[in-house]
Every structure is written in structure tokens, then in C-alpha cells.
Amino acid sequence: GVRFTLQMIWRTKSGTPVLDETRTVNLYAVDDATVCDVTTEQRASYGALQYDATKFGAICVRTDPRLTPVVGAEIIADGGRRGKAAVAIQQPNRYVAYESRSSGGFGVLLAVPGQRPHEWFIRDYGFATYNPMFEQPRTVAQGDTLRVDLRVVAYDEPLTEERAARWISISGIS
């Protein structure tokens, strides 16, 4: 695999530092897919951070238009739910996926390894957001870090519950 790391300081419009972020992207292949693990670590270096409850996320994904229900693809959520965004939005999901049935089927699965099922802000036009503050606000004390992980799996062939469970449970690269 390969790893990319970006370190940055978030600032206000006037230039005052707000938080330090380290974003890491790990890309690697497994037998039947390509996995991209994305991590953001947001450190409250300059004072406590307050994250409000909102649908806007810590990590957002915009899929290829060919993977959207707008052009006939499906959104898939755990438990065999398939269709448009309504099958997944505002209910707990272990994972969500966008899948096209053309060319034998291909798609992208989104999951948070090791986490309980949670709500996603998901739309039919290929926009999905994972946000641990979707349900309740969070405060990060000065010196502490908020960590958010997202696994994105690009795959060929139709998605099954077994494949999704295996991809969610792999340990990744460290």
C-alpha cells in the first residue's frame, strides 16, 4: 500500500489558529477490492473545540456520477436494504454503498471500522457524510484530539453482506 499524510493548521478568517489537523490516507489492495482508509485527527491545541450537532460531516465523499440512483444505480445499506437514499438516511447503518449494475456491477462501500451502526447524511446524487456529531454535539478539551476514521472500498461484482463484513473487519495498514 501507500500512505499520504497532510498536517495543517485551521485558522479563522483573520488568521487566528483554531486547531491542528493531521489527515492520513492509506491505500491498499485486498483480494477483491481496493481499500482507502481516511483518518482525521483534530487536536485542540489553541483552546477547547465545540462541534455542534449537524448533518455536515467530519468526512464527506462524493461518488462518481455513474454510481448514483439518478442514473439507475442503487444505494445499499446493511441488512439487504437497496434503492435510493431513503433506504439508508436517518437510520443506523453498519455501512452504505453506491453500486452500479452495469458491466457486471461495481461500486464503492463506505464504513467506519469498529464502530457501532450510525446515521449517515446520504443523497441520491452521490454525496455521503459520516459525522460522529450527527446525533449529538461534542466538546474536545484543550490538548485533546478528536479522531474520525472512514473506510472507502472500491469493488467489482455485486456487493454481498459477507464481502462487506470482511472489508469492514480487515485491520488495514498501520
Side-chain angles (χ1 to χ4, degrees), residues 1 11 53 58 71 86 93 102 123 136:
R11 299 178 182 275
V71 297
N93 300 292
S102 66
R123 290 293 186 248
Q136 64 184 25

Side-chain angles (χ1 to χ4, degrees), residues 29 42 62 89 95 119 123:
Q42 299 172 6
R62 183 71 186 254
I89 197 163
Y95 66 84
E119 293 186 21
R123 290 293 186 248

Side-chain angles (χ1 to χ4, degrees), residues 65-84:
R66 295 172 295 170
L67 294 174
T68 64
V70 174
V71 297
E74 287 184 307
I75 293 174
I76 304 170
D78 55 299
R81 294 174 283 145
R82 292 177 169 266
K84 294 189 174 190

Side-chain angles (χ1 to χ4, degrees), residues 6-162:
L6 173 66
Q7 294 181 323
M8 64 189 118
I9 300 172
W10 287 72
R11 299 178 182 275
T12 65
K13 187 176 182 178
S14 65
T16 304
V18 176
L19 65 90
D20 294 326
E21 180 184 11
T22 301
R23 192 171 304 174
T24 306
V25 176
N26 290 314
L27 291 163
Y28 54 97
V30 295
D31 288 342
D32 57 348
T34 300
V35 179
C36 176
D37 288 336
V38 180
T39 300
T40 176
E41 294 177 300
Q42 299 172 6
R43 183 167 176 80
S45 301
Y46 311 99
L49 300 172
Q50 176 64 42
Y51 295 87
D52 293 331
T54 178
K55 65 184 178 185
F56 302 106
I59 300 180
C60 302
V61 174
R62 183 71 186 254
T63 67
D64 184 290
R66 295 172 295 170
L67 294 174
T68 64
V70 174
V71 297
E74 287 184 307
I75 293 174
I76 304 170
D78 55 299
R81 294 174 283 145
R82 292 177 169 266
K84 294 189 174 190
V87 303
I89 197 163
Q90 294 183 317
Q91 51 191 306
N93 300 292
R94 183 77 174 101
Y95 66 84
V96 295
Y98 287 86
E99 184 176 280
S100 173
R101 294 185 182 240
S102 66
S103 303
F106 63 94
V108 62
L109 174 136
L110 311 169
V112 182
Q115 298 292 318
R116 64 172 175 75
H118 53 273
E119 293 186 21
W120 290 74
F121 181 70
I122 188 164
R123 290 293 186 248
D124 287 332
Y125 54 83
F127 180 79
T129 299
Y130 165 63
N131 185 3
M133 287 72 70
F134 188 79
E135 300 166 350
Q136 64 184 25
R138 182 177 292 178
T139 300
V140 179
Q142 183 168 356
D144 288 347
T145 300
L146 171 70
R147 178 181 169 135
V148 179
D149 298 293
L150 177 67
R151 176 163 289 161
V152 180
V153 182
Y155 62 90
D156 292 321
E157 304 299 323
L159 182 63
T160 64
E161 289 287 320
E162 295 78 22

